[in-house]
Amino acid sequence: QVQLVESGGGLVQAGGSLRLSCAVSGGTFSSYAMGWFRQAPGKEREFVGSIGGSGRSRLYGDSVKGRFTISRDNAENTVYLQMTSLKPEDTGVYYCAARSGAVVSTVTRYAYWGQGTQVTVSS
């Protein structure tokens, strides 16, 4: 069974930075494309970015391009989301997700999900 556990969320001022981590157990980590999504209260879950199994392929949502960076360490079974120049609209619960295959942005194409970590950006 594949399990994902996010960490690193918290409260940060606008313009600040934060790094989220997602530790994965079970399965073959390097075979999974890993995605980050976020959900604000009353809104649908939004694609943030995704990284392929080897780390060579990356895809980002338009709202975070140039500010967020996804990376992974296959030796540590961990994927990271480095967030910079944070804005209040980045506030939400951030989820990591895993799927077999290529990077995609569609929520429903990810099979495994973590429990989420709260990120709050104050103005």
Side-chain angles (χ1 to χ4, degrees):
Q1 184 176 359
V2 180
Q3 294 185 319
L4 294 78
V5 179
E6 303 95 335
S7 61
L11 173 64
V12 63
Q13 288 188 332
S17 299
L18 209 57
R19 189 177 82 154
L20 306 183
S21 301
C22 174
V24 180
S25 60
T28 304
F29 180 69
S30 60
S31 71
Y32 294 123
M34 299 299 301
W36 284 98
F37 294 80
R38 66 188 182 189
Q39 189 164 20
K43 295 189 176 181
E44 292 186 354
R45 196 162 294 191
E46 176 190 14
F47 173 72
V48 173
S50 181
I51 186 168
S54 68
R56 287 193 296 268
S57 299
R58 290 181 175 87
L59 186 66
Y60 292 98
D62 288 342
S63 62
V64 306
K65 280 180 184 175
R67 299 188 299 122
F68 291 10
T69 303
I70 294 176
S71 61
R72 65 189 295 158
D73 184 339
N74 284 351
E76 296 294 329
N77 288 4
T78 301
V79 62
Y80 303 97
L81 180 67
Q82 179 68 49
M83 305 184 291
T84 63
S85 301
L86 282 161
K87 306 174 182 180
E89 51 263 44
D90 294 319
T91 294
V93 178
Y94 282 69
Y95 299 90
C96 70
R99 70 181 303 270
S100 296
V103 294
V104 296
S105 61
T106 308
V107 170
T108 55
R109 295 181 72 179
Y110 285 81
Y112 307 103
W113 291 83
Q115 83 290 347
T117 186
Q118 176 71 44
V119 172
T120 303
V121 184
S122 64
S123 56

